[in-house]
């Protein structure tokens, strides 16, 4: 930023931002420095650009206890909301059709969390990934698309899967095309495009599904793909909704519906605490899955009746504790954490 670099009152480091090999070497020296000086520390990768975030996570996740909140924290929180919705609907997640719009860090993180859960339920990896239909700026992601990023590729669809679809333009398979042809039961938005989930789109989803799940996860409020009011109005009050931003309760004819704020705050403090208590050398996908399951289990039947898919944010300290206990137990059971009895972990 030239203006800041030239400002005599600028307190930052007066150098251009590092890129390429210089950047990688700097991060490497930082991680080695943390390991040397703070051997019991955990690193949380926060707000990294997506082309760096996935690469850094893969490079260091086996070498030091670390996680990326934007990828794994978002995915774990979204999965918890979906597990609660699954209980309410009495329908297994494996039987759902999930369309995720916006396939960057949050979208891929949510897709990976869903796939990890389904694999834990016995689905082979490829079948678990097939539950998810990924949509990004170019439309539905297909395997023959040369612009695919490495982290998107595992979830891209084969071209033959869409051979019989009716399309407005065969060159670009739009979100509308996907909704009409896939008939999703769950719609997840992480696009920062306000109003992307139009009334027409939401009505189309509700036409095929008795209790559609709508996760409009972008924040702040002004960027949300739809409001809870939009989702409930378009679906005759049948939608199960969570949002990335806080929204007031919605009054329907017969009841008032509250909306959970699907915020990473539910997950990352507990994951960090549980990992440190366990003294685990790394954080696994299964530890995040344990966090999701513990979080979802905290939603009472009465809270589900009110429309909540996650516990109230006011209970976030208790949530962090429950998540931490679940993560520490999972680390122990995977042979990564200290050999402590459940009571000792508590």
């Amino acid at each position: 930023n030239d203006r800041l670099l030239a400002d005599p009152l600028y307190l930052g480091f007066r150098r251009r931002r590092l890129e390429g090999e210089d950047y990688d070497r700097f991060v490497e020296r930082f991680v080695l420095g943390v390991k040397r000086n703070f051997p019991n520390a955990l690193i949380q990768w926060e707000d990294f650009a997506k082309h760096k975030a996935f690469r850094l996570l893969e490079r260091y996740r086996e070498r030091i206890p670390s996680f990326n909140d934007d990828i794994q924290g978002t995915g774990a929180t979204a999965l918890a909301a979906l597990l609660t919705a699954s209980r309410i609907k009495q329908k297994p997640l494996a039987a759902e059709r999930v369309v995720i719009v916006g396939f960057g860090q949050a979208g891929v993180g949510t897709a990976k969390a869903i796939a990890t859960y389904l694999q834990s339920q016995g689905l082979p990896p490829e079948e678990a990934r097939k539950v998810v239909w990924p949509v990004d700026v170019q439309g539905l992601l297909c395997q023959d698309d040369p612009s695919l990023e490495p982290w998107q590729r595992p979830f891209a669809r084969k071209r033959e899967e869409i051979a019989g679809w009716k399309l407005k333009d065969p060159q670009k398979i739009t979100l509308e095309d996907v909704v009409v042809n896939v008939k999703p039961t769950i719609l997840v938005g992480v696009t920062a495009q306000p109003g992307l989930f139009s009334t027409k789109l939401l009505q189309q989803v509700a036409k095929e599904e008795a209790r559609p799940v709508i996760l409009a996860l972008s924040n702040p409020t002004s960027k949300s793909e739809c409001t809870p009011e939009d989702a409930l109005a378009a679906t005759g009050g049948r939608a199960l909704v969570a949002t990335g931003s806080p929204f007031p309760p919605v009054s329907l004819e017969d009841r008032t519906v509250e909306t959970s704020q699907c915020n990473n705050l539910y997950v990352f403090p507990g994951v960090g605490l549980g990992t440190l208590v366990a003294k685990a050398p790394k954080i696994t996908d299964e530890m995040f899955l344990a966090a999701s399951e513990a979080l979802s289990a905290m939603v009472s039947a009465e809270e589900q009746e009110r429309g909540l898919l996650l516990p109230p944010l006011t209970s976030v300290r208790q949530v962090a504790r429950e998540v931490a206990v679940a993560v520490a137990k999972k680390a122990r059971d995977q042979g990564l954490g200290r050999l402590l009895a459940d009571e000792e972990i508590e």
Side-chain angles (χ1 to χ4, degrees):
N1 185 314
D2 289 321
R3 185 182 62 77
L4 286 177
L5 288 172
D7 190 329
L9 296 180
Y10 177 54
L11 298 177
F13 194 49
R14 291 180 187 273
R15 292 259 190 98
R16 292 275 169 201
R17 188 176 280 197
L18 296 176
E19 292 293 345
E21 191 177 334
D22 290 339
Y23 178 92
D24 290 343
R25 288 189 180 283
F26 177 84
V27 175
E28 176 74 8
R29 288 176 66 190
F30 173 81
V31 171
L32 292 177
V34 168
K35 286 184 77 168
R36 181 178 63 246
N37 293 290
F38 308 103
N40 299 317
L42 172 148
I43 294 177
Q44 177 175 320
W45 306 102
E46 176 76 20
D47 288 341
F48 281 75
K50 64 185 176 186
H51 64 285
K52 293 172 179 167
F54 288 99
R55 194 163 51 80
L56 291 175
L57 179 61
E58 290 308 313
R59 178 168 178 78
Y60 292 106
R61 66 181 303 180
E62 298 286 331
R63 292 173 54 192
I64 192 167
S66 65
F67 66 92
N68 183 297
D69 188 39
D70 304 307
I71 299 170
Q72 295 159 290
T74 301
T77 310
L79 175 62
L82 294 180
L83 293 177
T84 308
S86 186
R87 264 202 320 279
I88 294 169
K89 295 169 71 170
Q90 296 187 317
K91 181 180 181 182
L93 191 51
E96 304 276 13
R97 295 178 297 280
V98 186
V99 169
I100 299 178
V101 196
F103 219 60
Q105 291 183 70
V108 172
T110 301
K112 283 189 167 187
I114 291 169
T116 299
Y117 170 74
L118 293 176
Q119 287 175 64
S120 78
Q121 300 299 297
L123 255 65
E126 191 174 348
E127 291 302 311
R129 290 194 293 268
K130 278 187 177 177
V131 171
V132 173
W133 293 81
V135 179
D136 208 64
V137 288
Q138 66 266 55
L140 178 69
L141 299 186
C142 292
Q143 290 180 358
D144 58 2
D145 181 350
S147 68
L148 285 183
E149 301 287 357
W151 54 85
Q152 296 173 327
R153 199 165 289 283
F155 291 91
R157 308 302 292 218
K158 293 175 181 173
R159 188 64 68 171
E160 53 263 33
E161 291 180 83
I162 55 171
W165 285 17
K166 292 177 182 173
L167 303 170
K168 292 177 185 174
D169 176 6
Q171 301 305 310
K172 181 176 181 179
I173 304 163
T174 65
L175 172 59
E176 289 74 19
D177 290 327
V178 173
V179 168
V180 168
N181 289 282
V182 171
K183 300 177 175 56
T185 55
I186 296 172
L187 191 57
V188 181
V190 276
T191 64
Q193 292 185 40
L196 180 68
F197 295 167
S198 64
T199 299
K200 183 182 175 186
L201 196 77
L202 293 165
Q203 286 172 340
Q204 181 68 40
V205 174
K207 196 158 67 172
E208 307 289 346
E209 171 64 14
R211 299 299 307 271
V213 182
I214 310 296
L215 303 186
L217 301 185
S218 295
N219 53 50
T221 312
S222 60
K223 302 282 189 185
S224 188
E225 286 79 9
C226 70
T227 67
E229 200 166 7
D230 295 335
L232 290 162
T235 62
R238 293 182 284 122
L240 297 167
V241 187
T243 53
S245 301
F247 282 95
V250 178
S251 295
L252 302 176
E253 287 178 14
D254 56 340
R255 69 196 199 282
T256 299
V257 178
E258 296 177 45
T259 302
S260 290
Q261 187 184 348
C262 199
N263 191 309
N264 301 0
L265 182 63
Y266 282 113
V267 166
F268 71 78
V271 168
L273 177 58
T275 302
L276 294 173
V277 165
K279 295 192 183 296
K282 63 179 179 178
I283 303 174
T284 63
D285 292 339
E286 290 77 13
M287 288 159 72
F288 268 102
L289 174 55
S292 298
E293 291 175 328
L295 175 57
S296 175
M298 290 187 72
V299 186
S300 68
E302 185 267 332
E303 286 163 350
Q304 291 175 32
E305 281 289 320
R306 296 191 341 239
L308 294 175
L309 300 181
L310 296 166
L313 262 175
T314 49
S315 63
V316 74
R317 284 177 65 82
Q318 183 62 24
V319 167
R321 185 186 187 283
E322 295 294 326
V323 167
V325 168
V327 167
K329 287 179 183 176
K330 178 57 72 174
R332 175 200 64 197
D333 295 346
Q334 286 192 289
L336 296 170
R338 290 192 288 165
L339 199 57
L340 299 173
D342 286 1
E343 306 76 47
E344 292 176 287
I345 290 173
E346 298 264 2

